[in-house]
């Protein structure tokens, strides 16, 4: 179940810039414990999926897991051996821009120690620095 949007307005998007901090999605909304990003970066759909699978495997599909990020930015690349020029290239993968302070995953309905170990394992699959945020 690799994440990608069903419908997009524009096929190719400019890279843009990353913001330093996020002031909107910085608190737990659904679960009691979650993963919060410490630094800004770009997370691919494969990273999100790998983290989701490892967290679900560790909590043995008990409780509920929320994914608070969605990869809606297309990453373009040209195939190997193609010369420079001739346009931008086709969609290689999908990614999400992450700002510092953003909540990435949330868990509810699992024992706190088990949830912490699951989120630690999930955080190792992500390419940015994260910390575990608890409501309990």
């Amino acid at each position: 179940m690799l994440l990608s949007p069903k419908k997009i307005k524009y096929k190719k998007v400019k890279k843009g810039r990353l913001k330093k901090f996020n002031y909107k999605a910085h608190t737990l909304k659904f679960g009691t414990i979650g993963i919060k990003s410490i630094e800004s970066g770009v997370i691919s759909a494969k990273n999100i999926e790998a983290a989701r699978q490892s967290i679900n495997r560790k909590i043995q599909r008990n409780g509920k897991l929320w994914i608070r990020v969605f990869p809606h930015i297309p990453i373009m690349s040209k195939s190997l051996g193609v010369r420079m020029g001739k346009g931008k290239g086709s969609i290689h993968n999908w990614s999400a821009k992450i700002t510092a302070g953003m909540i990435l995953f949330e868990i509810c309905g699992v024992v706190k120690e088990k949830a912490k170990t699951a989120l630690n394992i999930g955080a190792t699959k992500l390419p940015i620095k994260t910390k575990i945020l608890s409501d309990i």
Side-chain angles (χ1 to χ4, degrees), residues 14-20 40 42 73 97-99:
K14 289 186 177 179
K15 281 187 180 178
R17 293 223 171 104
L18 280 171
K19 291 181 182 173
K20 293 274 184 186
S40 298
V42 178
I73 297 161
K97 285 185 180 176
I98 304 298
T99 53

Side-chain angles (χ1 to χ4, degrees), residues 51-67:
R52 183 196 69 81
Q53 284 178 357
S54 60
I55 291 168
N56 268 336
R57 199 173 292 124
K58 194 68 184 173
I59 62 172
Q60 295 160 350
R61 287 155 198 84
N62 296 333
K64 176 105 173 99
L65 173 71
W66 284 274
I67 305 170

Side-chain angles (χ1 to χ4, degrees), residues 3 8 13 15 34 42 44 59-60 68 73 78 83 95 106 109:
L3 301 168
I8 51 172
V13 179
K15 281 187 180 178
V42 178
S44 71
I59 62 172
Q60 295 160 350
R68 296 274 305 269
I73 297 161
K78 293 186 157 201
R83 294 184 182 184
S95 67
E106 293 185 34

Side-chain angles (χ1 to χ4, degrees), residues 75-100:
I75 302 296
M76 307 293 163
S77 76
K78 293 186 157 201
S79 54
L80 278 169
V82 176
R83 294 184 182 184
M84 300 307 275
K86 307 273 192 287
K88 194 168 186 177
S90 56
I91 295 173
H92 179 255
N93 65 344
W94 294 88
S95 67
K97 285 185 180 176
I98 304 298
T99 53

Side-chain angles (χ1 to χ4, degrees), residues 7 13 30 50 87 112 115:
K7 224 172 166 185
V13 179
F30 306 105
K112 188 178 179 182

